[in-house]
Amino acid sequence: MDTVPVKISNRKSRVLGALLASAAMLLPSVKNALADAAPEQGIVSMKYLNYHDSQTGDTDLTAGMSRNRMTVNALSFMGMVPIAGKWSVAGTFIEDSVTGASPAYHGSGFPANTSSGASGDLRHAGDLNVTRYFSRGTLTLGTSYSQETDYKSLGCSLNGTLSTENNNTTFSLGAAWNRDTIDLSRPNVVKSKKSDTSGKKRVLSGLLGVTRVISQNDIIQTTVTLTDGDGYYSDPYKYPDVRPDKRRMFTFMARWNHHFDGPNGTARFSYRYYSDTFGIRGHTFDAEYVQPLPNGWEITPLVRYYSQSAADFYVPVGDAEFADPAHYTLPPAGAEHYTEDQRLSAFGAFSYGIKVRKELGRSWLADVKYEHSEQRNNRGINGLGDPGIPTFNMSAIQVGLSRKF
Amino acid sequence: MNRGMVLARGSLLSLLIVSGLSGCSSVQPWEKQNLAKPEMTFEGDRLDTGYTEHIYSSKEASSGGAGVGGGGCGCN
């Protein structure tokens, strides 16, 4: 007598299961929730960047130091093609041109020839990645190349992911190798660093990560990256500047995306901790909110806060330089390593920006993004910075277009 | 124990905690429509990310964290 209801219950359960499975299959990319499924569509994109930075002498100690620094115009292209449902090939290419100059020490010592500085005039870079998709994971082999008038970099990488059976947890493992060559014979290289022998640098990185679905609306990711660099780390265009030839870096990153059902928007948060053997500790906080709007529009406001401590061998602005910025500060007597590079001083930076996207039909997508950032020596959470460093501002505008096929 | 070891162990512990959160929920495939939205993935707009990471890593001492691979640059 009891068997009939049980049979009915089992049949109902099977029917319900089949309906749910069918519903899941109808969702466009539901299996792509952890992004390890083979892409069904290819994509081509291009993006233009205009970047400009400047410094502002807005305190008594930095008065008179306001000036424009560098402008970069860049154009980049990206393409990704799925192959046979199990492979994809993706590549990017970028060309950027740099004008202007960065200071040789602290916020002073700009070259008379304004096309010098740490960067070359023209840079070309590209990368190519081939990915094989498996039922529960991916394997990606990548190679990269970058060339400037004074700098060349070659690299390769291998990244893999493995998901649990329910696809709610994905483990990531990656390794990368880079070989950089710096031309030290160029006319603008500082006299004491000039050499016919190029500087070399070898960098090895390893990454371990976990991505985890927490709920229907929450996904988190944590990664740990270790990087070991060996070779030429000094800046050929800055003085006084002699840096250690070994740099070991540690990065911990945590990211959390949350979807809001009501407005159908998504908040994206991230935190990064950075430390290295130069003695630098850094904290980065990012937050952005993606809000889809009617008629294919989407708007994303974003904010970012960054703070870093100074390198152990950073030399702050001294009395003589305060009196006359044309005279750089002498490093401590007998010091093996020293630098007066603003980027290795302590500071805090606040950034804000906005990105607007518009779907154009079913295949095209256009976007515009503006971002502004301001670095100040008294804005850090790693202690006060060097009061002789002027405020540094940078702004970037991106305009992009992409098409799916 | 030096600071590096403390950080390494802390980070590995956080990885284990994240991977061990399986008890918190078990989201079924048909409940993942929001998770499948492009903005819920961690990849984002590749060219935008490339420009943005390049700008910040050339003006700040910190870099990396989201992945490994890619070319070096004379700007940093």
Side-chain angles (χ1 to χ4, degrees):
Chain A
M1 292 290 286
D2 291 341
T3 54
V4 175
V6 170
K7 276 182 182 171
I8 290 170
S9 171
N10 282 345
R11 209 164 73 190
K12 274 184 178 172
S13 166
R14 280 199 299 272
V15 170
L16 183 63
L19 283 171
L20 289 171
S22 303
M25 287 169 73
L26 287 172
L27 295 170
S29 302
V30 82
K31 60 182 179 177
N32 201 26
L34 291 182
D36 60 358
E40 292 162 1
Q41 286 183 295
I43 187 167
V44 286
S45 309
M46 63 175 291
K47 209 169 282 272
Y48 165 75
L49 168 79
N50 175 261
Y51 165 90
H52 180 72
D53 61 35
S54 62
Q55 62 182 48
T56 310
D58 52 4
T59 66
D60 290 344
L61 294 174
T62 59
M65 297 174 78
S66 299
R67 62 170 290 161
N68 288 322
R69 283 197 189 176
M70 301 180 88
T71 298
V72 180
N73 285 290
L75 193 60
S76 60
F77 301 89
M78 191 275 282
M80 188 278 294
V81 185
I83 299 171
K86 288 183 177 177
W87 296 83
S88 76
V89 178
T92 63
F93 173 79
I94 179 170
E95 179 182 280
D96 63 40
S97 67
V98 182
T99 54
S102 57
Y105 54 91
H106 300 127
S108 306
F110 287 89
N113 173 4
T114 55
S115 64
S116 68
S119 300
D121 295 332
L122 199 63
R123 183 175 78 102
H124 293 101
D127 62 57
L128 190 68
N129 293 289
V130 178
T131 301
R132 170 73 163 93
Y133 298 85
F134 302 94
S135 59
R136 282 172 45 195
T138 62
L139 197 60
T140 301
L141 182 64
T143 180
S144 63
Y145 178 77
S146 176
Q147 183 164 31
E148 301 162 51
T149 48
D150 58 348
Y151 204 94
K152 191 184 290 183
S153 175
L154 271 174
C156 61
S157 61
L158 187 64
N159 285 278
T161 64
L162 181 66
S163 299
T164 53
E165 201 169 341
N166 61 12
N167 214 22
N168 284 339
T169 306
T170 298
F171 300 94
S172 309
L173 196 62
W177 171 90
N178 263 83
R179 178 76 171 174
D180 297 1
T181 306
I182 307 111
D183 183 357
L184 300 174
S185 66
R186 294 188 59 79
N188 290 330
V189 170
V190 172
K191 260 186 190 175
S192 59
K193 296 176 181 176
K194 244 188 175 55
S195 169
D196 290 333
T197 308
S198 297
K200 307 265 188 205
K201 184 165 70 184
R202 184 268 304 152
V203 182
L204 286 171
S205 301
L207 174 141
L208 187 63
V210 180
T211 306
R212 171 77 191 147
V213 170
I214 299 298
S215 76
Q216 296 173 32
N217 289 335
D218 294 276
I219 186 166
I220 59 173
Q221 182 184 70
T222 56
T223 56
V224 172
T225 311
L226 287 171
T227 301
D228 184 75
D230 191 353
Y232 196 88
Y233 269 102
S234 298
D235 190 318
Y237 306 101
K238 295 195 186 301
Y239 58 90
D241 179 272
V242 177
R243 307 180 191 186
D245 57 8
K246 289 187 191 305
R247 189 178 191 182
R248 191 164 288 175
M249 294 160 262
F250 168 86
T251 309
F252 169 75
M253 183 178 249
R255 299 196 273 187
W256 169 37
N257 294 346
H258 175 76
H259 180 79
F260 293 93
D261 285 327
N264 194 30
T266 300
R268 298 155 57 92
F269 304 98
S270 79
Y271 166 73
R272 177 182 67 181
Y273 174 79
Y274 170 91
S275 73
D276 67 21
T277 50
F278 282 9
I280 294 166
R281 309 282 178 262
H283 302 276
T284 312
F285 301 87
D286 274 290
E288 61 184 39
Y289 179 75
V290 184
Q291 180 61 60
L293 298 169
N295 301 318
W297 289 91
E298 184 183 275
I299 187 165
T300 307
L302 56 100
V303 290
R304 178 182 190 269
Y305 174 75
Y306 173 76
S307 174
Q308 71 174 51
S309 63
D312 293 336
F313 49 91
Y314 175 75
V315 182
V317 176
D319 292 339
E321 191 178 327
F322 272 129
D324 181 3
H327 294 104
Y328 63 83
T329 303
L330 289 171
E336 186 183 1
H337 302 119
Y338 42 85
T339 184
E340 298 180 8
D341 188 343
Q342 172 181 349
R343 295 171 298 182
L344 299 186
S345 68
F347 62 81
F350 180 71
S351 311
Y352 59 87
I354 190 162
K355 183 173 184 176
V356 178
R357 291 201 323 172
K358 171 81 171 90
E359 286 176 8
L360 306 168
R362 293 174 65 88
S363 304
W364 292 86
L365 191 67
D367 61 79
V368 180
K369 182 182 177 186
Y370 172 77
E371 191 163 358
H372 178 83
S373 185
E374 184 179 85
Q375 292 179 5
R376 283 185 175 273
N377 60 57
N378 60 357
R379 197 175 270 170
I381 54 175
N382 299 80
L384 270 178
D386 182 352
I389 294 288
T391 300
F392 178 70
N393 294 282
M394 51 188 181
S395 300
I397 297 172
Q398 297 181 31
V399 182
L401 191 65
S402 66
R403 185 182 191 280
K404 289 178 188 169
F405 60 91
Chain B
M1 197 184 307
N2 68 32
R3 188 173 175 154
M5 283 295 289
V6 172
L7 285 170
R9 288 185 181 186
S11 301
L12 287 174
L13 184 64
S14 70
L15 288 176
L16 287 173
I17 290 170
V18 170
S19 60
L21 286 174
S22 53
C24 291
S25 69
S26 183
V27 180
Q28 301 301 319
W30 54 86
E31 297 175 320
K32 292 184 176 176
Q33 63 268 37
N34 288 336
L35 297 165
K37 292 177 186 289
E39 59 268 30
M40 282 294 280
T41 66
F42 293 106
E43 281 70 34
D45 180 338
R46 197 167 159 187
L47 295 179
D48 176 358
T49 305
Y51 278 143
T52 304
E53 286 184 357
H54 191 84
I55 287 170
Y56 284 117
S57 67
S58 66
K59 301 299 172 187
E60 298 170 347
S62 305
S63 62
V68 293
C73 175
C75 54
N76 51 9

